[in-house]
Amino acid sequence: MIGLISATAAGASARDRLATAWPGRTRVYDGPVGRAVERAFAECEQLVCFLATGATVRLLAPLLAGKTTDPGVVCVDEAGRYAVSLLGGHGGGANSLASEVASVLAATPVITTATDATGVPGLDTLGLPVEGALAAVTRAVLDGAPVALRADAVWPLPPLPPNVTRGGADTVTPGGATLLLTDRVVPLGPTDVVLRPPSLVVGVGAGRGVSGDEVYDVVRDALRDAGLSVLSVAELATVDAKADEPGIVEAAGRLGVPVRTYPAGVLAGVAVPNPSDAPLAAVGTPSVAEAAALTAGRGGELLVQKRKSSPEGRPAMATCAVVRRPPRGRLAVVGLGPGARDLLTPRATAELRRASVLVGLDQYVDQIRDLLRPGTRVIESGLGHEEERARTAVAETRAGHAVALIGSGDAGVYAMASPALAEAADDIEVVGVPGVTAALAAAAILGAPLGHDHVSISLSDLHTPWEVIERRVRAAAEADIVVTFYNPRSRGRDWQLPKALELLAEHRTATTPVGVVRNASRPDGTSRLTTLARLDPATVDMMTVVTVGNTATREIAGRMVTPRGYRWQSEGAR
Ligand code: SAH
């Protein structure tokens, strides 16, 4: 819950705008501000104070308990011009809250935590649990001091600045900061930080009615005796029949991880060192803990064989086994939209900043270079070379990195996603970020040409035989579907567009509206509305899409409109 506190009429009006925008998320605290702040501080995860920073600091000071427990606090000034992240920038979420508040109030977010201000990711924002001298090592990363990264394996981390260098134990400068990335319990020096990768999968088996404590204890003891950190546990794995076993669910909750389950038939097929008859009789597989850990562990090493719980004075009801799974690189396939920066989605921006390796066509890289974090490795190439780019992106991901493969519009539409995924196996994680494709960017400029069924057809016969393209154009013509042509015409390919329009004209009148949009959303963008008979193909090039209406499409007030359908319209009129 976000507590809202204000003192003046202007503050109250900004406060009400926020309360209206986020009804279920906010609670207004009325009355004297001192008391209101105190109550909100105790009851809410976050506060927005429509008060001066000085006044807020004085009210908060006696309430502060610690970085990990205090709520995040944002201050908004009297004129509603700034949303200042005052307290709990990372842990309390005040930095992102300041940005959200700013966007509702049309204010400017003010964020002063060093890592956010410089574009260097804070070590506590990498999405991995972290232990050790966080402040000292973050400081060293920011100051450009040498920091040694010692990792057991390559994990898909966001980019780290160039002063963070990979090296073995011997490259560590005495007294210099060290960033460890390991699931092992290791001694930490005063300038060491350890990040915990999600590398351990714990298989668990349990009798009905087992307690959460018994499951948790056997897991904790197994990890401790093997010298492994409980913070690196990624998930608990078990058999389907135990998916809702309360003791397992409770232990997973305490570990903060999900429970993954498999059918007994799958587990029965896994070769394990310690099969037994009891689970075979109960759930139909000779192994639950080891088999589930090995299955979820993606071919990783069995570090801890089956181990039984040891409750006092009772027979054991829980077993566990631990597998270290190999890291998987992360490939984000990111659509950049048609060109304008404000048509690039926030998610795409986040993925560009999340990647340590960026692969793309040089002209697209230029579009977003300013968004990249320091330390991002850019692999760019010129026109053509699609397959090579796709292969490079997948190879970098297989090496364990966080990679972004970029494309204009939507990266899955006549673009890089399919060649990349055709190369990829399940040894990498893939995340797709949709982008505004040219057909949609053009349609928004033209009016509403896609109001009913529509297709996109590429007229490039470089990779597709013309007969196939022609068959699809004919089918669209016969089915009276609105058509958007991508790759409509280039210097070497000039007869395809006239031919395609001719095929459509066999089923549509000469006055059918046709929209021609060049460089949609870019500074030199142009658009024209014409007809099938009047379109001059010479005005079309590779920066253009051509949208041809169906038999119901009309020009209305200079806009291209395809009706939703006569039935819908008459129902609406009733
Ligand atoms: N992945 C891209 C399409 C790549 S194919 C997307 O989803 O938009 C390249 C073709 O897309 C170009 O020949 C042109 O027909 C079209 N195109 C891409 N961007 C465009 C823009 N901003 N304006 C008009 N057409 C565009």
Side-chain angles (χ1 to χ4, degrees):
M1 189 58 63
I2 304 173
L4 306 180
I5 299 109
S6 62
T8 63
S13 111
R15 174 200 69 189
D16 292 345
R17 274 162 65 202
L18 210 57
T20 311
W22 299 337
R25 272 177 84 188
T26 51
R27 184 182 303 152
V28 171
Y29 286 81
D30 284 323
V33 282
R35 180 78 193 109
V37 167
E38 204 176 313
R39 277 169 47 224
F41 199 88
E43 293 169 11
C44 298
E45 293 82 54
Q46 294 179 317
L47 272 63
V48 180
C49 300
F50 298 85
L51 304 169
T53 50
T56 313
V57 167
R58 285 179 205 291
L59 293 171
L60 291 175
L63 308 174
L64 300 179
K67 205 169 164 168
T68 52
T69 52
D70 290 339
V73 179
V74 169
C75 271
V76 176
D77 66 300
E78 183 73 10
R81 282 185 312 171
Y82 301 102
V84 184
S85 167
L86 191 68
L87 185 73
H90 291 157
N95 290 350
S96 46
L97 181 62
S99 301
E100 280 190 90
V101 169
S103 90
V104 173
L105 300 179
T108 304
V110 179
I111 289 160
T112 59
T113 9
T115 48
D116 296 82
T118 55
V120 172
L123 296 175
D124 53 347
T125 64
L126 299 180
L128 302 179
V130 47
E131 296 174 281
L134 186 58
V137 179
T138 300
R139 192 72 258 158
V141 172
L142 281 177
D143 288 348
V147 176
L149 173 65
R150 283 161 53 198
D152 283 347
V154 180
W155 284 88
L157 293 178
L160 293 165
N163 53 310
V164 179
T165 50
R166 261 169 208 288
D170 47 341
T171 60
V172 179
T173 21
T178 307
L179 187 56
L180 295 138
L181 185 59
T182 180
D183 55 25
R184 291 174 295 117
V185 174
V186 286
L188 289 184
T191 54
D192 295 343
V193 152
V194 59
L195 295 167
R196 297 300 187 187
S199 54
L200 304 177
V201 183
V202 183
V204 289
R208 182 167 310 141
V210 68
S211 73
D213 282 346
E214 185 166 346
V215 177
Y216 181 83
D217 289 350
V218 70
V219 172
R220 181 202 54 203
D221 294 350
L223 293 168
R224 184 197 55 217
D225 294 350
L228 297 168
S229 170
V230 66
L231 293 176
S232 273
V233 176
E235 57 192 25
L236 296 190
T238 189
V239 64
D240 280 349
K242 298 290 172 188
D244 300 321
E245 183 62 44
I248 295 180
V249 173
E250 186 190 321
R254 278 175 72 181
L255 290 161
V257 300
V259 179
R260 180 193 291 263
T261 67
Y262 298 96
V266 169
L267 299 185
V270 181
V272 299
N274 303 292
S276 73
D277 291 336
L280 185 60
V283 289
T285 165
S287 166
V288 173
E290 289 181 345
L294 286 165
T295 308
R298 296 195 295 258
E301 189 190 347
L302 184 63
L303 300 178
V304 179
Q305 296 195 1
K306 182 170 78 177
R307 167 178 178 135
K308 286 190 178 153
S309 55
S310 41
E312 263 173 54
R314 283 191 291 108
M317 287 181 77
T319 58
C320 81
V322 183
V323 166
R324 175 183 286 140
R325 63 181 180 193
R328 284 206 300 182
R330 185 174 191 279
L331 176 65
V333 184
V334 181
L336 301 182
R341 176 54 63 87
D342 58 356
L343 291 180
L344 175 75
T345 67
R347 189 180 298 184
T349 305
E351 286 296 343
L352 296 173
R353 299 169 67 79
R354 168 76 180 73
S356 67
V357 180
L358 184 89
V359 181
L361 186 66
D362 44 15
Q363 71 195 61
Y364 299 152
V365 176
D366 285 340
Q367 250 182 61
I368 46 87
R369 211 181 289 274
D370 60 301
L371 294 175
L372 303 179
R373 280 183 150 154
T376 310
R377 185 152 54 89
V378 177
I379 305 177
E380 47 193 318
S381 43
L383 267 177
H385 309 289
E386 256 94 19
E387 309 236 319
E388 186 188 318
R389 266 198 299 282
R391 257 198 298 280
T392 306
V394 172
E396 290 288 342
T397 314
R398 285 220 164 99
H401 300 298
V403 179
L405 176 62
I406 59 173
S408 85
D410 183 274
V413 176
Y414 308 120
M416 299 303 297
S418 21
L421 299 200
E423 288 281 321
D426 69 354
D427 57 346
I428 63 171
E429 188 190 341
V430 175
V431 180
V433 182
V436 178
T437 188
L440 298 185
I445 293 168
L446 293 169
L450 308 183
H452 211 291
D453 299 336
H454 53 277
V455 286
S456 293
I457 296 180
S458 166
L459 291 183
S460 168
D461 52 1
L462 247 46
H463 302 288
T464 310
W466 175 253
E467 301 76 67
V468 173
I469 298 173
E470 187 170 318
R471 183 149 49 87
R472 292 178 183 172
V473 177
R474 271 185 209 284
E478 282 165 15
D480 197 26
I481 297 177
V482 175
V483 183
T484 301
F485 291 116
Y486 281 67
N487 300 308
R489 185 172 178 273
S490 69
R491 243 171 289 145
R493 279 189 310 102
D494 56 2
W495 56 265
Q496 287 85 347
L497 179 63
K499 176 70 191 170
L501 295 173
E502 196 184 302
L503 294 172
L504 290 176
E506 289 175 14
H507 296 269
R508 299 177 197 188
T509 62
T511 56
T512 303
V514 175
V516 178
V517 180
R518 185 172 192 278
N519 277 332
S521 94
R522 297 180 189 142
D524 49 352
T526 56
S527 80
R528 260 188 347 276
L529 194 50
T530 172
T531 62
L532 259 184
R534 289 214 308 267
L535 172 68
D536 175 6
T539 60
V540 173
D541 66 7
M542 279 297 275
M543 319 298 277
T544 311
V545 281
V546 177
T547 298
V548 182
N550 66 16
T551 52
T553 305
R554 296 282 170 269
E555 182 186 328
I556 299 173
R559 301 185 190 102
M560 186 172 172
V561 180
T562 302
R564 288 279 304 279
Y566 300 105
R567 193 129 70 102
W568 177 78
Q569 283 192 331
S570 55
E571 272 169 12
R574 250 184 252 142

